[in-house]
Amino acid sequence: MAKRGKQYAVAASGQWTDEEEGRRRLPAGEVHAWEPGRNETVCGLSLSRSQLVRFPHVGWPDTFPESGGAADRVQRVCRRCASVAGHRGGDARPRWQRVRPRP
């Protein structure tokens, strides 16, 4: 689950245009969570140096295949961004939990 109050958009390594939805630009390739107003992704990549394309109109939850959103051409979701922004995927290890805290 994402942190309260934070709305993450998407930055991706590529883009494509969906003709069916009125020529809407959508992310393709590797996607990262991005907080609008910042020049880096949640995992710390510089948007300009990494040549990532910004998608302020696409929300982070729409990049997952089960959302039915903008995930048609997404090939990879950044694991570090997913751990911070929410949705860790089925192959992720369980969250860390203290078993026996000290008294």
Side-chain angles (χ1 to χ4, degrees):
M1 206 174 236
K3 292 181 183 178
R4 274 188 210 189
K6 297 251 182 182
Q7 295 295 322
Y8 295 105
V10 177
S13 61
Q15 67 179 349
W16 67 286
T17 305
D18 187 3
E19 299 294 335
E20 293 177 5
E21 290 194 28
R23 300 187 51 84
R24 185 176 171 207
R25 282 184 331 116
L26 295 173
E30 182 175 348
V31 293
H32 295 267
W34 165 64
E35 195 173 346
R38 306 221 21 169
N39 291 326
E40 65 181 14
T41 63
V42 172
C43 67
L45 290 177
S46 168
L47 293 174
S48 60
R49 287 186 183 179
S50 301
Q51 298 181 346
L52 295 173
V53 182
R54 297 175 182 140
F55 297 91
H57 59 282
V58 177
W60 175 248
D62 290 337
T63 60
F64 300 104
E66 60 273 9
S67 72
D72 291 346
R73 301 213 181 150
V74 171
Q75 295 173 350
R76 182 178 178 274
V77 175
C78 173
R79 289 183 183 187
R80 291 185 293 176
C81 288
S83 70
V84 173
H87 195 290
R88 296 161 17 100
D91 61 341
R93 289 185 280 166
R95 291 192 182 271
W96 182 84
Q97 181 178 4
R98 185 178 299 276
V99 177
R100 284 183 266 173
R102 290 184 215 160

